Structures are given as C-alpha cells and as structure tokens.
Amino acid sequence: MSDSSSPQPPPQPGKPDGGPSARSEGGALVLCGARLADGRTVDVRLGGGRIEAVGTAGALVRQGARVDLNGYLLLPAPAEPHAHCDTALTADCEGPAPDSPDDIQRRTTEAALLQLGHGATASRTHVRVGGVRGLRSLEAVLKARRSLRGLADLAAVAVPRVLTGAAGADGLAMLRDAVKMGASVIGGCPDLDPDPAGYVEAVLEVAGEHGCPVDLHTDGDDPARLARFAAMAGGLRPGVAIGPCAGMTRMPRSVAARVAEQLAAAGVTVICLPQGDCTGLERYGSRVARPAPVRLLRAAGVRVAAGSGALRDVANPVGRGDPLEAAYLLASLGETSPEAAYETVSAAARATLGLPDVRVEAGFPAELLAVRGERIAGVLSLAYSRVVVHRGRVVARTSAVREYCDSAAAVALELPRQSQR
C-alpha cells in the first residue's frame, strides 16, 4: 500500500508552519495529530528540550509552531547501543581503508547522521586504541562528537587490543589515557586476548578507577567463561554490557538458561546484533545465523538491547545502521513481539547508554521518533517516512512517496496515482 496518502501532503511533516526551519525559536513546538502506541491521537507540546504537555488532538495547536503528524505513529526515539562509526562506509574501498584523522572524523560524522536519520538520537561507537594508531582514531571520533552536538549524542568506547602479559602494559596505559581524553566507556574483546579472564579483570579495574561503564565484545560461546565474567562483573556501577553473544544459541538450552540466570543476577546487559557480527570480533565477512537467544535471556531477567553493529564495512557490506531494522529482525525471527522488539532499540538501548527514560508524557525528554503508520508492527515493516526529534526540535526527516500508474486497481483501492504531466 501507499506510504503517503498524497504525493506531497501540506504542510510537509517535520517542518513547522510558516517557516523553513524545524526549530521553534523562543517558543514551543507542537506536534499535531500524532497517534500513540495505545491508539490515542494527540497533540504534544515541546519546550526546553522536554515534553511540556500532551493533549487531545486540536487542543494545543495555538500554543506554538506546528508540525503536522497526521498519519504518523509517535514513539520514544531509539538509540544505537553498538556502532563502529570509525570503520563504517568502507566496504567499497579498494585496499585498506584510509585512516587519517580527517577520514575517520568524516566517516564517523556521516555514520552518526545516517543513524540519526533512521531515528537514533544517541549512539555508542567502539573505537580501537593502541597499536600503531595510538589515540588518533579516538581523537577524530571525539572531534566528530563535538561537531554533532545539538543534532545527536555520541559516546565513544575505548577498545584496547591486548591488556595482559608483557604487551598488556602499553594497552593499559593507552586505555587510561583514552579515558582522560574523553572516552566515556571502556570496551574491548577478551576473546582475542591470550588471557581472557585477565583482560576482563584489567578492564573492570580501570572502569572502577574512573567510574566508567563497561561494554565488551564476546561471541559468548563458552559458558564457563561467561559465568566467570558474570561473577567478576556483578555489582559494578554504572553498568556492564556484553555482546553480541550469538554463541549462546549454540549451547544446549539448559546450559544457556543457566548462563542467562547468572548474567541476570550480576546485572549484565546483553547487546545483540540481529544483522550479524561486527568488526570488533574480527570475523571479517562472516555472518551469524541467528542473534543471541533474546527470548531466553529476557525470560531470565536479562536486559537485552539490540544494535546495528557493522555499517557497510568489511564485516557487513550492506549494514544499514537502522534501529528499526534491528527490531524488525528480532520480531521476524520470533525472538520477541513487535512491541518488545522496539523496546530493545528504545528503552533498553537508552538505559544501556545511561540515558533517561522517554515516554510520550509531560516532563519526559523530548527525544521522539514519528513514523508513518498506525501500529508498531506496521512501522517495523514499512518504516519509510520518519520525523526525528532531539532535544525538542526536529533534527531529521525522511519523506517517501509511492505512486501507481493509472489503473482500475489503483482507482478501486484509492491508491495515490502518478500526477498527469
């Protein structure tokens, strides 16, 4: 069916009446006629970066600049909990991808804006530190973060290669320098270290010193290693996440269920990647058959967030960086309902990033996504037209128009037809 009820509906969604800017200077911004997940149609007034009021449709239209969201479903904005922006958009490079600071800053900025256009107003990106690159990649990502301020929030995860043995001393020093420079999360891949348990211990020690959250890559195919990790990580604040943990699907169900209970007891979040592995695991060109066992993990009480992972890089040349696609894949695989799938890319993802909860209610942050459609299942299937709100203003919009040639079928179904030229 049509993604748009008319070729160019006035006013253009995401553009306030009376001006070209999607920003309400010195006044409120009112989202008019939006449908909520509970079926209500409402007006939503935004101001000061928050939701000021939610009223019945037509009640708030005279209280600020308007954005017409008739035909759109209004949802809390998603977040991207697992990105690799510094290596994104390199799949088509002939030979090694250029890695100058300017190249990395440009790729990071473009990737973050692509994710923003899909609705992710906040992202967490993993950045390799140490080795011949030292902190150059991180410095470029932090520059991109500053340039994106006001459009999207970007957090950097410092990812050292080795932290144990003789080579580990340099990695530890580099990791501490990365935190001082501005990396807000400590990451890495213990699976690639000669001493995985020692790697985790070192990460947790540095995280404890600086009060940073932890976000580690692991395939999660070793139940004993996951149990040991849960025992070590339990109680660490402000939080520990691991992913993509696709290896848990290869465990006997009883073993995976026991591991899930241990992760839940330790308060460890699992970030699954429904689109497949990422560069952090260095499985270039490989594709996992299924993501982590989300249904099993959620049943055990584990917080599960879903991320996009690779974005058109060597690990996945066709990644989209679209949170709604991650949710769609989870629902289509039968791991969750459509509503629960969206929760993994919105509320659970935001909580994993340490961001405040968002509801379409007065007093909550104005971090919102409007998608043309009536219900969550429908927008996960055909999420073309979108309006993205960050800190109370429209920062991105995508408009799609589908038309059909003049025919008896198009007329009978009242489908939008091509304009006569």
Side-chain angles (χ1 to χ4, degrees), residues 227-295:
R228 193 179 310 119
F229 175 79
M232 296 168 65
L236 181 73
R237 295 293 180 267
V240 176
I242 60 174
C245 293
M248 288 186 67
T249 61
R250 300 190 291 274
M251 298 178 188
R253 185 172 181 82
S254 60
V255 174
R258 186 165 60 251
V259 170
E261 291 172 356
Q262 293 165 332
L263 293 173
V268 175
T269 295
V270 171
I271 302 176
C272 69
L273 301 179
Q275 295 179 27
D277 282 345
C278 61
T279 56
L281 290 175
E282 297 189 349
R283 294 181 174 177
Y284 301 126
S286 74
R287 307 293 296 136
V288 297
R290 292 183 69 91
V294 173
R295 185 178 296 276

Side-chain angles (χ1 to χ4, degrees), residues 191 218-226 245-248 250-251 283:
D191 296 6
T218 180
D219 183 56
D221 59 351
D222 186 333
R225 185 179 297 173
L226 286 178
C245 293
M248 288 186 67
R250 300 190 291 274
M251 298 178 188
R283 294 181 174 177

